[in-house]
Short mmCIF file of all heavy atoms in Angstrom, two decimals:
data_model
loop_
_atom_site.label_atom_id
_atom_site.label_comp_id
_atom_site.label_asym_id
_atom_site.label_seq_id
_atom_site.Cartn_x
_atom_site.Cartn_y
_atom_site.Cartn_z
N MET H 284 0.82 -1.18 0.00
CA MET H 284 0.00 0.00 0.00
C MET H 284 0.86 1.25 0.00
O MET H 284 1.92 1.28 0.59
CB MET H 284 -0.87 0.02 1.25
CG MET H 284 -2.14 -0.72 1.12
SD MET H 284 -3.21 -0.37 2.51
CE MET H 284 -4.37 -1.62 2.19
N GLY H 285 0.36 2.29 -0.61
CA GLY H 285 1.07 3.55 -0.64
C GLY H 285 0.80 4.39 0.59
O GLY H 285 0.02 4.04 1.45
N GLN H 286 1.47 5.52 0.64
CA GLN H 286 1.30 6.46 1.73
C GLN H 286 0.54 7.67 1.23
O GLN H 286 0.51 7.95 0.04
CB GLN H 286 2.65 6.91 2.27
CG GLN H 286 3.35 5.84 3.05
CD GLN H 286 4.68 6.34 3.59
OE1 GLN H 286 5.66 5.69 3.39
NE2 GLN H 286 4.72 7.48 4.25
N GLY H 287 -0.02 8.42 2.17
CA GLY H 287 -0.70 9.66 1.82
C GLY H 287 -1.98 9.82 2.61
O GLY H 287 -2.49 8.87 3.21
N ASP H 288 -2.45 11.06 2.63
CA ASP H 288 -3.67 11.37 3.35
C ASP H 288 -4.88 11.03 2.49
O ASP H 288 -4.83 11.11 1.27
CB ASP H 288 -3.71 12.86 3.69
CG ASP H 288 -2.56 13.28 4.60
OD1 ASP H 288 -1.98 12.39 5.27
OD2 ASP H 288 -2.26 14.48 4.66
N SER H 289 -5.99 10.67 3.15
CA SER H 289 -7.22 10.44 2.40
C SER H 289 -7.98 11.76 2.30
O SER H 289 -7.70 12.72 3.00
CB SER H 289 -8.07 9.35 3.05
OG SER H 289 -8.56 9.76 4.30
N GLY H 290 -8.94 11.82 1.42
CA GLY H 290 -9.67 13.05 1.16
C GLY H 290 -10.81 13.28 2.13
O GLY H 290 -11.18 12.44 2.94
N THR H 291 -11.40 14.46 2.02
CA THR H 291 -12.53 14.87 2.85
C THR H 291 -13.83 14.47 2.16
O THR H 291 -13.94 14.55 0.93
CB THR H 291 -12.51 16.40 3.04
OG1 THR H 291 -11.34 16.74 3.78
CG2 THR H 291 -13.72 16.90 3.80
N VAL H 292 -14.82 14.05 2.95
CA VAL H 292 -16.15 13.71 2.44
C VAL H 292 -17.14 14.71 3.03
O VAL H 292 -17.19 14.88 4.25
CB VAL H 292 -16.56 12.27 2.82
CG1 VAL H 292 -17.99 11.99 2.40
CG2 VAL H 292 -15.60 11.26 2.20
N LYS H 293 -17.91 15.38 2.16
CA LYS H 293 -18.95 16.32 2.60
C LYS H 293 -20.27 15.90 1.98
O LYS H 293 -20.37 15.72 0.77
CB LYS H 293 -18.62 17.74 2.17
CG LYS H 293 -17.42 18.33 2.86
CD LYS H 293 -17.21 19.77 2.45
CE LYS H 293 -16.01 20.35 3.17
NZ LYS H 293 -15.83 21.77 2.86
N LEU H 294 -21.28 15.74 2.85
CA LEU H 294 -22.62 15.41 2.39
C LEU H 294 -23.59 16.47 2.90
O LEU H 294 -23.50 16.88 4.06
CB LEU H 294 -23.07 14.05 2.94
CG LEU H 294 -22.33 12.83 2.44
CD1 LEU H 294 -22.72 11.61 3.25
CD2 LEU H 294 -22.66 12.60 0.98
N ASP H 295 -24.52 16.87 2.06
CA ASP H 295 -25.54 17.84 2.43
C ASP H 295 -26.86 17.31 1.88
O ASP H 295 -27.04 17.24 0.66
CB ASP H 295 -25.20 19.21 1.85
CG ASP H 295 -26.13 20.30 2.35
OD1 ASP H 295 -27.19 19.99 2.93
OD2 ASP H 295 -25.80 21.47 2.13
N THR H 296 -27.77 16.92 2.78
CA THR H 296 -29.01 16.28 2.35
C THR H 296 -30.13 16.57 3.34
O THR H 296 -29.87 17.00 4.47
CB THR H 296 -28.79 14.76 2.20
OG1 THR H 296 -29.96 14.15 1.66
CG2 THR H 296 -28.44 14.10 3.53
N ASN H 297 -31.34 16.31 2.95
CA ASN H 297 -32.46 16.40 3.89
C ASN H 297 -32.51 15.18 4.79
O ASN H 297 -32.64 15.29 5.99
CB ASN H 297 -33.79 16.56 3.14
CG ASN H 297 -33.94 17.92 2.51
OD1 ASN H 297 -33.46 18.91 3.05
ND2 ASN H 297 -34.57 17.98 1.36
N THR H 298 -32.39 13.99 4.19
CA THR H 298 -32.49 12.74 4.93
C THR H 298 -31.35 11.81 4.50
O THR H 298 -31.08 11.69 3.31
CB THR H 298 -33.83 12.04 4.64
OG1 THR H 298 -34.88 12.91 5.03
CG2 THR H 298 -33.95 10.73 5.41
N LEU H 299 -30.71 11.17 5.46
CA LEU H 299 -29.67 10.19 5.17
C LEU H 299 -30.09 8.85 5.73
O LEU H 299 -30.33 8.73 6.94
CB LEU H 299 -28.33 10.62 5.79
CG LEU H 299 -27.17 9.64 5.62
CD1 LEU H 299 -26.84 9.44 4.15
CD2 LEU H 299 -25.95 10.14 6.38
N ASN H 300 -30.24 7.85 4.88
CA ASN H 300 -30.60 6.49 5.28
C ASN H 300 -29.46 5.55 4.90
O ASN H 300 -29.14 5.42 3.71
CB ASN H 300 -31.88 6.02 4.59
CG ASN H 300 -33.10 6.74 5.08
OD1 ASN H 300 -33.39 6.72 6.27
ND2 ASN H 300 -33.82 7.38 4.17
N LEU H 301 -28.85 4.91 5.88
CA LEU H 301 -27.86 3.85 5.64
C LEU H 301 -28.44 2.57 6.20
O LEU H 301 -28.72 2.48 7.40
CB LEU H 301 -26.54 4.17 6.35
CG LEU H 301 -25.72 5.33 5.82
CD1 LEU H 301 -24.47 5.52 6.68
CD2 LEU H 301 -25.32 5.10 4.38
N ILE H 302 -28.62 1.58 5.34
CA ILE H 302 -29.20 0.31 5.79
C ILE H 302 -28.36 -0.85 5.28
O ILE H 302 -27.55 -0.70 4.37
CB ILE H 302 -30.67 0.16 5.32
CG1 ILE H 302 -30.76 0.25 3.79
CG2 ILE H 302 -31.54 1.23 5.96
CD1 ILE H 302 -32.14 -0.04 3.25
N ASP H 303 -28.55 -2.01 5.92
CA ASP H 303 -27.88 -3.25 5.50
C ASP H 303 -26.37 -3.07 5.35
O ASP H 303 -25.80 -3.27 4.29
CB ASP H 303 -28.48 -3.78 4.20
CG ASP H 303 -29.92 -4.19 4.36
OD1 ASP H 303 -30.29 -4.62 5.47
OD2 ASP H 303 -30.70 -4.08 3.40
N ASN H 304 -25.72 -2.66 6.45
CA ASN H 304 -24.26 -2.50 6.51
C ASN H 304 -23.74 -1.38 5.60
O ASN H 304 -22.60 -1.43 5.15
CB ASN H 304 -23.54 -3.81 6.20
CG ASN H 304 -23.87 -4.88 7.22
OD1 ASN H 304 -23.75 -4.65 8.41
ND2 ASN H 304 -24.33 -6.03 6.75
N GLY H 305 -24.55 -0.37 5.34
CA GLY H 305 -24.10 0.79 4.57
C GLY H 305 -22.98 1.51 5.33
O GLY H 305 -22.97 1.56 6.56
N VAL H 306 -22.03 2.06 4.59
CA VAL H 306 -20.86 2.70 5.23
C VAL H 306 -20.54 4.01 4.52
O VAL H 306 -20.51 4.07 3.29
CB VAL H 306 -19.63 1.77 5.17
CG1 VAL H 306 -18.39 2.47 5.71
CG2 VAL H 306 -19.88 0.47 5.91
N ILE H 307 -20.26 5.03 5.33
CA ILE H 307 -19.63 6.26 4.85
C ILE H 307 -18.37 6.38 5.68
O ILE H 307 -18.42 6.42 6.91
CB ILE H 307 -20.53 7.49 5.06
CG1 ILE H 307 -21.82 7.36 4.27
CG2 ILE H 307 -19.78 8.77 4.67
CD1 ILE H 307 -22.83 8.45 4.56
N SER H 308 -17.20 6.40 5.01
CA SER H 308 -15.97 6.41 5.79
C SER H 308 -14.81 7.03 5.04
O SER H 308 -14.83 7.13 3.82
CB SER H 308 -15.58 4.98 6.21
OG SER H 308 -15.18 4.24 5.08
N THR H 309 -13.82 7.44 5.81
CA THR H 309 -12.51 7.78 5.28
C THR H 309 -11.51 6.94 6.06
O THR H 309 -11.74 6.60 7.22
CB THR H 309 -12.17 9.27 5.44
OG1 THR H 309 -12.14 9.60 6.82
CG2 THR H 309 -13.17 10.15 4.71
N ALA H 310 -10.41 6.58 5.43
CA ALA H 310 -9.42 5.74 6.09
C ALA H 310 -8.04 6.02 5.53
O ALA H 310 -7.90 6.48 4.39
CB ALA H 310 -9.76 4.26 5.90
N ALA H 311 -7.05 5.76 6.35
CA ALA H 311 -5.66 5.90 5.93
C ALA H 311 -4.85 4.78 6.57
O ALA H 311 -5.22 4.24 7.61
CB ALA H 311 -5.10 7.26 6.33
N SER H 312 -3.75 4.46 5.93
CA SER H 312 -2.84 3.46 6.49
C SER H 312 -1.44 4.06 6.53
O SER H 312 -1.21 5.17 6.06
CB SER H 312 -2.86 2.19 5.65
OG SER H 312 -2.43 2.45 4.35
N GLN H 313 -0.55 3.34 7.10
CA GLN H 313 0.85 3.77 7.28
C GLN H 313 0.87 5.11 8.01
O GLN H 313 0.28 5.23 9.07
CB GLN H 313 1.58 3.78 5.95
CG GLN H 313 1.71 2.39 5.36
CD GLN H 313 2.54 2.37 4.11
OE1 GLN H 313 3.17 3.34 3.74
NE2 GLN H 313 2.56 1.23 3.44
N SER H 314 1.51 6.13 7.46
CA SER H 314 1.62 7.40 8.18
C SER H 314 0.60 8.44 7.71
O SER H 314 0.61 9.57 8.16
CB SER H 314 3.03 7.99 8.02
OG SER H 314 3.28 8.25 6.65
N GLY H 315 -0.32 8.05 6.84
CA GLY H 315 -1.32 8.98 6.32
C GLY H 315 -2.37 9.34 7.36
O GLY H 315 -2.61 8.61 8.31
N THR H 316 -2.99 10.49 7.17
CA THR H 316 -4.07 10.95 8.03
C THR H 316 -5.39 10.73 7.30
O THR H 316 -5.52 11.07 6.12
CB THR H 316 -3.91 12.45 8.35
OG1 THR H 316 -2.68 12.63 9.06
CG2 THR H 316 -5.06 12.96 9.19
N ALA H 317 -6.37 10.17 8.01
CA ALA H 317 -7.69 9.95 7.41
C ALA H 317 -8.38 11.28 7.21
O ALA H 317 -8.21 12.22 7.99
CB ALA H 317 -8.52 9.03 8.30
N GLY H 318 -9.19 11.38 6.18
CA GLY H 318 -9.91 12.62 5.89
C GLY H 318 -11.04 12.87 6.86
O GLY H 318 -11.49 11.99 7.60
N ASN H 319 -11.52 14.10 6.87
CA ASN H 319 -12.64 14.49 7.72
C ASN H 319 -13.96 14.17 7.03
O ASN H 319 -14.05 14.17 5.80
CB ASN H 319 -12.58 15.99 8.01
CG ASN H 319 -11.33 16.36 8.78
OD1 ASN H 319 -10.84 15.59 9.60
ND2 ASN H 319 -10.79 17.53 8.50
N LEU H 320 -14.99 13.93 7.85
CA LEU H 320 -16.35 13.71 7.35
C LEU H 320 -17.23 14.84 7.86
O LEU H 320 -17.24 15.12 9.06
CB LEU H 320 -16.92 12.39 7.88
CG LEU H 320 -16.36 11.11 7.32
CD1 LEU H 320 -16.83 9.92 8.14
CD2 LEU H 320 -16.81 10.94 5.89
N SER H 321 -17.95 15.48 6.97
CA SER H 321 -18.87 16.54 7.35
C SER H 321 -20.23 16.20 6.75
O SER H 321 -20.38 16.15 5.53
CB SER H 321 -18.38 17.89 6.81
OG SER H 321 -19.33 18.89 7.07
N ILE H 322 -21.20 15.92 7.62
CA ILE H 322 -22.53 15.51 7.17
C ILE H 322 -23.56 16.48 7.71
O ILE H 322 -23.62 16.72 8.92
CB ILE H 322 -22.86 14.07 7.64
CG1 ILE H 322 -21.85 13.08 7.05
CG2 ILE H 322 -24.29 13.70 7.25
CD1 ILE H 322 -21.96 11.68 7.61
N THR H 323 -24.35 17.05 6.80
CA THR H 323 -25.49 17.88 7.19
C THR H 323 -26.74 17.17 6.71
O THR H 323 -26.89 16.92 5.50
CB THR H 323 -25.41 19.28 6.55
OG1 THR H 323 -24.21 19.91 6.99
CG2 THR H 323 -26.60 20.13 6.95
N ALA H 324 -27.61 16.80 7.64
CA ALA H 324 -28.88 16.15 7.32
C ALA H 324 -29.97 16.93 8.05
O ALA H 324 -30.10 16.83 9.27
CB ALA H 324 -28.88 14.69 7.74
N ARG H 325 -30.71 17.73 7.30
CA ARG H 325 -31.66 18.66 7.92
C ARG H 325 -32.84 17.97 8.60
O ARG H 325 -33.33 18.45 9.61
CB ARG H 325 -32.15 19.66 6.87
CG ARG H 325 -31.08 20.68 6.53
CD ARG H 325 -31.47 21.56 5.37
NE ARG H 325 -31.45 20.89 4.08
CZ ARG H 325 -30.33 20.55 3.44
NH1 ARG H 325 -29.16 20.81 3.96
NH2 ARG H 325 -30.39 19.95 2.27
N ASP H 326 -33.33 16.86 8.07
CA ASP H 326 -34.49 16.20 8.67
C ASP H 326 -34.09 15.10 9.65
O ASP H 326 -34.45 15.15 10.81
CB ASP H 326 -35.42 15.63 7.59
CG ASP H 326 -36.07 16.73 6.77
OD1 ASP H 326 -36.22 17.85 7.29
OD2 ASP H 326 -36.41 16.47 5.60
N HIS H 327 -33.37 14.08 9.17
CA HIS H 327 -32.91 13.02 10.07
C HIS H 327 -31.87 12.12 9.41
O HIS H 327 -31.71 12.11 8.21
CB HIS H 327 -34.08 12.20 10.63
CG HIS H 327 -34.70 11.27 9.63
ND1 HIS H 327 -35.72 11.64 8.80
CD2 HIS H 327 -34.43 9.97 9.33
CE1 HIS H 327 -36.06 10.61 8.04
NE2 HIS H 327 -35.30 9.59 8.34
N ILE H 328 -31.18 11.37 10.29
CA ILE H 328 -30.24 10.34 9.86
C ILE H 328 -30.72 9.02 10.43
O ILE H 328 -31.05 8.93 11.61
CB ILE H 328 -28.80 10.63 10.36
CG1 ILE H 328 -28.27 11.89 9.70
CG2 ILE H 328 -27.88 9.45 10.06
CD1 ILE H 328 -26.91 12.31 10.20
N ASN H 329 -30.75 8.00 9.59
CA ASN H 329 -31.22 6.68 9.98
C ASN H 329 -30.14 5.66 9.65
O ASN H 329 -29.82 5.47 8.47
CB ASN H 329 -32.52 6.37 9.23
CG ASN H 329 -33.07 5.01 9.53
OD1 ASN H 329 -32.86 4.45 10.59
ND2 ASN H 329 -33.80 4.46 8.57
N LEU H 330 -29.56 5.02 10.67
CA LEU H 330 -28.58 3.95 10.48
C LEU H 330 -29.20 2.65 10.98
O LEU H 330 -29.64 2.59 12.13
CB LEU H 330 -27.29 4.23 11.25
CG LEU H 330 -26.27 5.16 10.61
CD1 LEU H 330 -26.75 6.58 10.65
CD2 LEU H 330 -24.94 5.03 11.27
N GLN H 331 -29.22 1.63 10.12
CA GLN H 331 -29.81 0.35 10.50
C GLN H 331 -28.91 -0.81 10.12
O GLN H 331 -28.14 -0.73 9.16
CB GLN H 331 -31.15 0.16 9.79
CG GLN H 331 -32.22 1.12 10.18
CD GLN H 331 -33.53 0.82 9.45
OE1 GLN H 331 -33.70 -0.21 8.81
NE2 GLN H 331 -34.47 1.74 9.55
N THR H 332 -29.05 -1.90 10.85
CA THR H 332 -28.45 -3.19 10.53
C THR H 332 -26.95 -3.09 10.23
O THR H 332 -26.48 -3.37 9.14
CB THR H 332 -29.17 -3.86 9.34
OG1 THR H 332 -30.57 -3.72 9.49
CG2 THR H 332 -28.82 -5.33 9.26
N GLY H 333 -26.19 -2.62 11.21
CA GLY H 333 -24.73 -2.62 11.09
C GLY H 333 -24.14 -1.47 10.30
O GLY H 333 -22.95 -1.48 10.00
N SER H 334 -24.91 -0.47 9.95
CA SER H 334 -24.39 0.66 9.19
C SER H 334 -23.47 1.52 10.06
O SER H 334 -23.62 1.58 11.27
CB SER H 334 -25.53 1.50 8.64
OG SER H 334 -26.28 0.74 7.71
N GLN H 335 -22.50 2.22 9.41
CA GLN H 335 -21.49 2.97 10.16
C GLN H 335 -21.10 4.26 9.45
O GLN H 335 -21.11 4.33 8.22
CB GLN H 335 -20.21 2.15 10.29
CG GLN H 335 -20.35 0.85 11.00
CD GLN H 335 -19.03 0.11 11.00
OE1 GLN H 335 -17.96 0.71 11.02
NE2 GLN H 335 -19.08 -1.21 10.95
N ILE H 336 -20.70 5.25 10.25
CA ILE H 336 -20.07 6.47 9.77
C ILE H 336 -18.75 6.56 10.53
O ILE H 336 -18.76 6.70 11.75
CB ILE H 336 -20.95 7.70 10.02
CG1 ILE H 336 -22.28 7.57 9.26
CG2 ILE H 336 -20.22 8.97 9.63
CD1 ILE H 336 -23.29 8.66 9.60
N THR H 337 -17.60 6.45 9.83
CA THR H 337 -16.32 6.37 10.53
C THR H 337 -15.20 7.11 9.79
O THR H 337 -15.27 7.32 8.59
CB THR H 337 -15.85 4.91 10.69
OG1 THR H 337 -15.61 4.36 9.39
CG2 THR H 337 -16.86 4.06 11.43
N SER H 338 -14.19 7.47 10.55
CA SER H 338 -12.92 7.96 10.02
C SER H 338 -11.83 7.31 10.84
O SER H 338 -11.81 7.45 12.07
CB SER H 338 -12.84 9.48 10.11
OG SER H 338 -11.62 9.93 9.58
N ARG H 339 -10.91 6.58 10.19
CA ARG H 339 -9.94 5.80 10.97
C ARG H 339 -8.60 5.73 10.28
O ARG H 339 -8.48 5.95 9.09
CB ARG H 339 -10.47 4.40 11.20
CG ARG H 339 -10.67 3.62 9.92
CD ARG H 339 -11.32 2.27 10.17
NE ARG H 339 -11.72 1.64 8.94
CZ ARG H 339 -10.91 0.95 8.15
NH1 ARG H 339 -9.66 0.78 8.46
NH2 ARG H 339 -11.35 0.42 7.03
N SER H 340 -7.62 5.41 11.09
CA SER H 340 -6.27 5.16 10.59
C SER H 340 -5.81 3.82 11.12
O SER H 340 -5.98 3.52 12.30
CB SER H 340 -5.31 6.26 11.06
OG SER H 340 -3.99 5.93 10.68
N THR H 341 -5.21 3.01 10.26
CA THR H 341 -4.68 1.71 10.69
C THR H 341 -3.17 1.75 10.84
O THR H 341 -2.55 0.73 11.07
CB THR H 341 -5.08 0.60 9.70
OG1 THR H 341 -4.57 0.94 8.40
CG2 THR H 341 -6.59 0.43 9.64
N GLY H 342 -2.60 2.94 10.71
CA GLY H 342 -1.15 3.09 10.86
C GLY H 342 -0.83 4.10 11.94
O GLY H 342 -1.53 4.20 12.94
N THR H 343 0.21 4.88 11.72
CA THR H 343 0.63 5.86 12.71
C THR H 343 -0.05 7.21 12.54
O THR H 343 0.07 8.08 13.40
CB THR H 343 2.16 6.08 12.64
OG1 THR H 343 2.51 6.53 11.32
CG2 THR H 343 2.91 4.79 12.97
N GLY H 344 -0.77 7.41 11.46
CA GLY H 344 -1.47 8.67 11.23
C GLY H 344 -2.74 8.77 12.09
O GLY H 344 -3.17 7.81 12.73
N ASN H 345 -3.32 9.95 12.09
CA ASN H 345 -4.54 10.19 12.88
C ASN H 345 -5.78 9.92 12.06
O ASN H 345 -5.78 10.07 10.84
CB ASN H 345 -4.58 11.65 13.35
CG ASN H 345 -3.48 11.95 14.33
OD1 ASN H 345 -3.16 11.14 15.19
ND2 ASN H 345 -2.91 13.13 14.22
N GLY H 346 -6.86 9.56 12.75
CA GLY H 346 -8.17 9.52 12.13
C GLY H 346 -8.65 10.94 11.93
O GLY H 346 -8.17 11.87 12.58
N GLY H 347 -9.61 11.13 11.06
CA GLY H 347 -10.17 12.46 10.83
C GLY H 347 -11.31 12.75 11.80
O GLY H 347 -11.70 11.92 12.61
N THR H 348 -11.88 13.93 11.67
CA THR H 348 -13.03 14.30 12.49
C THR H 348 -14.31 13.88 11.79
O THR H 348 -14.37 13.81 10.57
CB THR H 348 -13.07 15.81 12.77
OG1 THR H 348 -13.18 16.49 11.52
CG2 THR H 348 -11.83 16.28 13.50
N VAL H 349 -15.33 13.61 12.59
CA VAL H 349 -16.67 13.33 12.07
C VAL H 349 -17.58 14.40 12.66
O VAL H 349 -17.73 14.50 13.87
CB VAL H 349 -17.15 11.92 12.46
CG1 VAL H 349 -18.58 11.70 12.00
CG2 VAL H 349 -16.23 10.85 11.89
N GLU H 350 -18.17 15.21 11.78
CA GLU H 350 -19.07 16.28 12.20
C GLU H 350 -20.43 16.05 11.58
O GLU H 350 -20.54 15.95 10.35
CB GLU H 350 -18.51 17.63 11.76
CG GLU H 350 -19.40 18.80 12.12
CD GLU H 350 -18.85 20.11 11.63
OE1 GLU H 350 -17.74 20.16 11.07
OE2 GLU H 350 -19.55 21.11 11.79
N ILE H 351 -21.46 15.94 12.43
CA ILE H 351 -22.82 15.73 11.95
C ILE H 351 -23.68 16.85 12.49
O ILE H 351 -23.74 17.08 13.69
CB ILE H 351 -23.36 14.35 12.42
CG1 ILE H 351 -22.48 13.23 11.86
CG2 ILE H 351 -24.81 14.19 11.97
CD1 ILE H 351 -22.81 11.85 12.37
N THR H 352 -24.35 17.56 11.56
CA THR H 352 -25.21 18.67 11.95
C THR H 352 -26.55 18.53 11.26
O THR H 352 -26.70 17.79 10.29
CB THR H 352 -24.59 20.03 11.58
OG1 THR H 352 -24.36 20.06 10.18
CG2 THR H 352 -23.29 20.27 12.33
N GLY H 353 -27.53 19.26 11.77
CA GLY H 353 -28.87 19.21 11.19
C GLY H 353 -29.33 20.54 10.71
O GLY H 353 -28.70 21.55 10.76
#
């Protein structure tokens, strides 16, 4: 695997539905930093059946921030 930072994910929606192990994520390995997640859902967010919103690093880099607003 290569090195480097992952990108930022920005979502802007009225409703966010993640079902059946749906995933929104950023990730990095080695010394890279995971990107930030910014989610705006004005009405509601629904996560079901193992769904996840994550930012993680499997190496020495940092995970990103996860910001959820309505």
Side-chain angles (χ1 to χ4, degrees):
M284 274 191 192
Q286 288 181 231
D288 298 340
S289 67
T291 296
V292 174
K293 292 184 179 184
L294 293 170
D295 187 347
T296 186
N297 288 327
T298 301
L299 177 62
N300 290 303
L301 291 178
I302 58 173
D303 295 329
N304 298 308
V306 175
I307 298 173
S308 69
T309 62
S312 62
Q313 295 185 9
S314 62
T316 298
N319 297 326
L320 288 169
S321 175
I322 299 172
T323 300
R325 286 172 288 287
D326 293 334
H327 73 272
I328 294 176
N329 178 27
L330 278 72
Q331 294 182 11
T332 317
S334 295
Q335 300 177 31
I336 298 173
T337 64
S338 180
R339 63 186 170 82
S340 174
T341 58
T343 59
N345 294 321
T348 61
V349 176
E350 178 182 356
I351 300 174
T352 58

